Amino acid sequence: MEIPEVFREDSMADLLRLLLRVAEKAANVARVCRQEAPLFQLLVQEKTGDDKNKKFVQDFKTLADVVIQEMIRHDVGVKFPEMADFINGEESNKFENGLGESVTVTVCATEEDTAALLASVLDGDHTAASLLARAIHQDPASIKADTDGLTVPLSPSELGIWIDPIDATSQYIEGREEVLEEGRLFPSGLHCALVLIGVYLRSTGEPVMGVINQPFNYKDPAGGGWKGKHFWGVSCGSINVCSETRPKAGPAGGLSAVLSSSEKPVVKEALTSLCGPDKLMFASGAGYKILCVIQGLADVYILTFKWDSCAPHALLRALGGGVVDFHKCLQSSSGAEAELTYHQPRTECKGADRWANHGGLVAYRDCSQISRIIAPLKGKL
């Protein structure tokens, strides 16, 4: 007798392998869109109404965002149908073409049908539509990840997924190239654009699995174009496994932080005093800044605005860290009760705001760092 998917002990390992694969497919789509520069310029459109992120003067929605989100939704839903109604993304899948027609972007059963749908978005540009459809339906190269023997006492029917298709959209659009060096934070560039897939427990909102794909990690010197890098983590009870090792502790008493350059002046001033000007760094992309904490390039990241952090949160938990609500920390003596969860929308809000982190966040590797970071900011915000 065949064992149902939800009762298989290795179903969580299967889910992780699937998410790594669809994240690489997403990275391929992101790379294809950048390679076709004229197409890319035509497809960028400004977010409006309820879907507009109010932090940025110009916050863009690209067709790549929508295609990636719907591709992940489709592929996960086919393999794990019990999760289909709990796969969430911050992007609306309604896209407007040049004729003013609204088209609902979905992934169809065949490459040809997907190409036909995309052609209606692209004002009949069948060449571009076929190129995108091929990337969507093409299986990526095999992803190497040591998931053998990974057993987690959860079934997919208990879980939901959060997708951030291309975080740091502005860096993706600008397209500045950097040659990354091990152990060094690079504040801006294509490498800041990340595909983020986070898995949370429906009952509590706890993040239990995260996959991060960095589509533009390095350029193949042999002329093969951009190559990516992936990161993953699982955190459930006593099970904590991560593709990254926990970074070695820095010098005693030293503390480094990474912020957005648009952060509030009072936060910058307080952390400059606490960390010193050499240890306060700035970078683009909320996902990339949390990745810097995961990799040990910074000890903490503070965001006083709002963002979905489910995927990197799971990796930090697997390394003994976490992500807490910034404003709740300001109001309490301990950050333990302020851990972010991902299962309850704010019913008074609309669009992407329903699921945004309204209290801001602090991402950390060591919980003892929370009080040190929060103390100089109390009473100032």
Side-chain angles (χ1 to χ4, degrees):
M1 183 179 73
E2 185 175 343
I3 301 174
E5 186 71 47
V6 293
F7 293 112
R8 285 179 46 196
E9 285 191 353
D10 61 350
S11 61
M12 288 294 284
D14 285 347
L15 177 60
L16 175 57
R17 284 189 286 267
L18 174 63
L19 295 185
L20 287 165
R21 186 175 68 83
V22 296
E24 182 60 21
K25 283 179 68 174
N28 286 339
V29 171
R31 289 187 286 259
V32 164
C33 286
R34 275 223 56 89
Q35 288 162 9
E36 300 296 317
L39 167 66
F40 185 75
Q41 294 298 323
L42 290 172
L43 294 183
V44 178
Q45 69 176 26
E46 193 171 349
K47 289 182 181 177
T48 58
D50 294 337
D51 290 321
K52 187 174 180 66
N53 181 331
K54 300 169 187 65
K55 180 184 172 186
F56 297 101
V57 176
Q58 287 185 312
D59 186 31
F60 299 106
K61 177 171 71 181
T62 66
L63 181 60
D65 268 334
V66 179
V67 162
I68 287 170
Q69 178 177 287
E70 297 309 308
M71 180 185 68
I72 295 170
R73 194 194 306 272
H74 172 270
D75 286 13
V76 175
V78 167
K79 177 71 174 176
F80 296 102
E82 64 272 39
M83 298 183 73
D85 293 334
F86 297 89
I87 302 172
N88 311 299
E90 66 173 3
E91 299 294 342
S92 166
N93 66 340
K94 302 289 191 300
F95 207 89
E96 191 172 293
N97 64 17
L99 299 175
E101 300 168 335
S102 179
V103 181
T104 300
V105 176
T106 59
V107 173
C108 304
T110 67
E111 182 179 324
E112 292 73 21
D113 288 345
T114 300
L117 176 68
L118 291 173
S120 67
V121 178
L122 299 173
D123 299 331
D125 188 338
H126 292 278
T127 301
S130 296
L131 185 64
L132 278 175
R134 190 176 307 126
I136 291 166
H137 287 271
Q138 187 176 44
D139 278 333
S142 59
I143 303 297
K144 294 180 181 178
D146 187 13
T147 59
D148 293 340
L150 177 65
T151 57
V152 182
L154 294 172
S155 71
S157 62
E158 299 175 85
L159 306 173
I161 288 178
W162 268 109
I163 306 163
D164 196 337
I166 304 178
D167 187 50
T169 309
S170 62
Q171 297 300 311
Y172 175 61
I173 292 167
E174 187 178 324
R176 192 161 59 79
E177 300 181 5
E178 292 278 8
V179 179
L180 302 185
E181 297 173 17
E182 192 77 25
R184 183 180 164 196
L185 183 152
F186 285 79
S188 61
L190 268 174
H191 62 280
C192 296
L194 305 176
V195 177
L196 306 168
I197 308 176
V199 181
Y200 65 93
L201 199 56
R202 291 183 209 169
S203 59
T204 65
E206 294 173 76
V208 293
M209 181 184 293
V211 168
I212 300 173
N213 191 298
Q214 190 176 42
F216 304 96
N217 181 262
Y218 69 98
K219 229 172 185 178
D220 187 344
W226 282 100
K227 304 296 182 183
K229 185 175 182 179
H230 63 266
F231 311 84
W232 60 270
V234 174
S235 179
C236 178
S238 61
I239 300 167
N240 291 287
V241 187
C242 189
S243 61
E244 298 294 288
T245 56
R246 186 175 173 86
K248 294 178 181 178
L255 189 68
S256 62
V258 60
L259 300 174
S260 167
S261 59
S262 61
E263 190 52 83
K264 293 182 175 75
V266 64
V267 176
K268 293 180 182 178
E269 291 164 11
L271 294 187
T272 298
S273 298
L274 176 66
C275 302
D278 294 339
K279 291 292 186 180
L280 180 60
M281 299 165 284
F282 299 93
S284 298
Y288 175 66
K289 288 190 279 288
I290 302 185
L291 180 58
C292 288
V293 177
I294 291 168
Q295 294 178 305
L297 304 178
D299 293 318
V300 294
Y301 161 47
I302 288 185
L303 171 71
T304 58
F305 297 98
K306 49 197 177 183
W307 183 73
D308 170 60
S309 50
C310 187
H313 189 167
L315 273 76
L316 277 174
R317 278 170 57 102
L319 293 171
V323 180
V324 290
D325 185 294
F326 175 68
H327 286 289
K328 285 184 180 178
C329 286
L330 287 173
Q331 296 162 8
S332 71
S333 57
S334 166
E337 68 276 15
E339 195 84 6
L340 291 186
T341 56
Y342 301 92
H343 62 315
Q344 293 179 329
R346 292 172 64 98
T347 54
E348 73 275 17
C349 298
K350 296 181 179 179
D353 273 357
R354 295 178 69 240
W355 295 98
N357 296 329
H358 286 250
L361 61 83
V362 180
Y364 63 92
R365 288 196 317 277
D366 185 334
C367 62
S368 66
Q369 297 162 342
I370 300 175
S371 58
R372 292 183 62 195
I373 284 287
I374 292 297
L377 291 167
K378 286 197 172 185
K380 295 183 180 179
L381 290 165

